[in-house]
Amino acid sequence: MPIISVPEAFNEDGLFVDLQPVFGQSLFLKCEGFNFAGSVKLKAANEMVAAAEREGVLRPGAVLIESSSGNLGVALSTIAASRGYQFLCVTDSRCNLATRLLMEALGAQVHVITEPDPVGGLLGARINHIRALCASDDRYVWLNQYTNPNAWKAHYRTTAPAIARQFPELDVLFLGAGTTGTLMGCARYFQQWHPSVRVVAVDSVGSVSFGGPPGRRMIPGLGMGVRPPLLDDSYIDEVIMVDEADAIRTCHRLARRGFLFGGSTGTVVSGAMGWLAEHEGQGLTAVALAPDLGERYLDTIYQSNWVEDLYGPDVLAANERVAAQAA
């Protein structure tokens, strides 16, 4: 079983790293950033495109169109380029510049929405933009990751079985909640085949996915301004809400030990460590999923001015104290 302390190699089930040296608590992180698209979203993108081709919806000359905060857009840009389709990604101003440039480098068009819909916010405005374009030109094919069941089937078929093979004695699995494709695919699999595994969803404060009040969210990837259509709470054992400042602190703490991950991973790890501390988790086998790596976030969550402007000058003070104590 390839469990290592630094990202040296990975097999067909992916790379797992143990965060014990960083936090003093074992948590195995499934790192999904080591593919051509750089994130877990490649699985959902591939499944949705393949299904659209099988069903005859996606034909030569079609233009793929999708709403994405970033990673799915890159995954679809990669697939579209390899299969000869045009692709238009509709994103918003929270999308990282590096991600937008990467999509364009792969040949995609990118439309950036800056004005939120009065009811649906920026996500609602993105979807409205897509609907208007689809109504104006029948070449557009909208995969609609928010309602497409293939988004969760991809993870039921691949991600969850890979975790189960590596950790047959798994106790608890932590998964971030965005559009909930990854969450629902894994949760459905484990409830059916390994019901003793506790599935814990991790979401960002300010997200309304699980009924919480709406609030500002600046880190793309997790959280929704509306309840995700794919979400079925009956498959989830528990929900943890994590403040974005805590997610950023966790990202920086990981980076200081050689692990550069995105904000979604910081959110999930922060939530998981809090849960394990509360449940005296030293004897538990725990796994969390890391959706991507951190290079695309160098100008945001790893940029001190961006962090201080949004979260205050003291947001990383706790990390500095930990580093000083370690020294």
Side-chain angles (χ1 to χ4, degrees):
M1 181 168 60
I3 297 168
I4 56 182
S5 60
V6 293
E8 296 170 342
F10 58 99
N11 70 358
E12 63 181 3
D13 283 344
L15 168 68
F16 294 83
V17 298
D18 188 358
L19 299 183
Q20 167 77 34
V22 183
F23 295 97
Q25 163 67 58
S26 182
L27 174 67
F28 295 102
L29 201 59
K30 188 177 192 316
C31 306
E32 292 285 345
F34 295 96
N35 60 50
F36 285 108
S39 82
V40 71
K41 287 290 190 177
L42 183 62
K43 296 176 180 179
N46 188 62
E47 197 88 8
M48 291 190 293
V49 169
E53 290 177 332
R54 288 194 304 268
E55 295 162 5
V57 175
L58 190 54
R59 299 182 295 273
V63 180
L64 281 168
I65 187 170
E66 186 56 87
S67 162
S68 171
S69 62
N71 281 337
L72 183 68
V74 173
L76 286 172
S77 298
T78 303
I79 292 172
S82 68
R83 299 194 187 189
Y85 298 115
Q86 297 180 63
F87 172 56
L88 169 59
C89 180
V90 180
T91 187
D92 61 55
S93 51
R94 294 172 297 183
C95 180
N96 300 311
L97 176 60
T99 301
R100 301 203 302 267
L101 294 175
L102 180 54
M103 287 189 279
E104 291 172 347
L106 289 164
Q109 285 186 285
V110 181
H111 288 187
V112 180
I113 303 301
T114 59
E115 293 296 326
D117 178 80
V119 177
L122 286 169
L123 175 58
R126 278 157 44 182
I127 291 174
N128 291 341
H129 186 70
I130 288 177
R131 286 175 173 156
L133 288 173
C134 290
S136 68
D137 191 336
D138 60 9
R139 293 179 303 155
Y140 285 114
V141 175
W142 182 23
L143 298 173
N144 195 353
Q145 65 162 325
Y146 308 106
T147 62
N148 194 323
N150 294 294
W152 67 260
K153 289 178 181 178
H155 301 288
Y156 181 94
R157 187 175 62 82
T158 63
T159 309
I163 294 170
R165 282 192 295 270
Q166 293 291 333
F167 298 92
E169 303 300 321
L170 181 63
D171 293 303
V172 57
L173 175 62
F174 299 94
L175 298 159
T179 60
T180 69
T182 306
L183 171 64
M184 294 312 305
C186 292
R188 288 172 185 269
Y189 177 89
F190 278 99
Q191 187 177 102
Q192 180 174 359
W193 298 107
H194 303 277
S196 64
V197 174
R198 189 169 188 83
V199 175
V200 179
V202 184
D203 199 7
S204 297
V205 171
S207 168
V208 306
S209 297
F210 296 96
R216 185 191 72 169
R217 290 178 295 109
M218 300 304 298
I219 301 175
L222 297 187
M224 291 278 282
V226 297
R227 180 179 170 86
L230 295 176
L231 178 60
D232 184 339
D233 301 77
S234 67
Y235 291 94
I236 300 167
D237 295 296
E238 194 171 341
V239 178
I240 299 172
M241 304 299 293
V242 174
D243 189 272
E244 286 192 335
D246 291 328
I248 289 172
R249 279 189 285 267
T250 300
C251 284
H252 281 254
R253 186 170 177 182
L254 286 165
R256 293 299 181 268
R257 298 300 296 270
F259 298 100
L260 193 70
F261 289 109
S264 296
T265 299
T267 304
V268 173
V269 171
S270 177
M273 286 300 171
W275 189 95
L276 290 167
E278 288 182 11
H279 292 78
E280 299 180 353
Q282 289 292 347
L284 298 178
T285 299
V287 171
L289 190 139
D292 62 4
L293 301 178
E295 290 92 336
R296 298 174 191 172
Y297 307 90
L298 294 177
D299 60 346
T300 55
I301 63 176
Y302 292 106
Q303 213 285 325
S304 58
N305 290 338
W306 187 89
V307 172
E308 291 179 5
D309 287 347
L310 290 173
Y311 304 99
D314 299 325
V315 67
L316 298 176
N319 283 5
E320 293 171 0
R321 287 194 295 271
V322 170
Q325 291 168 2

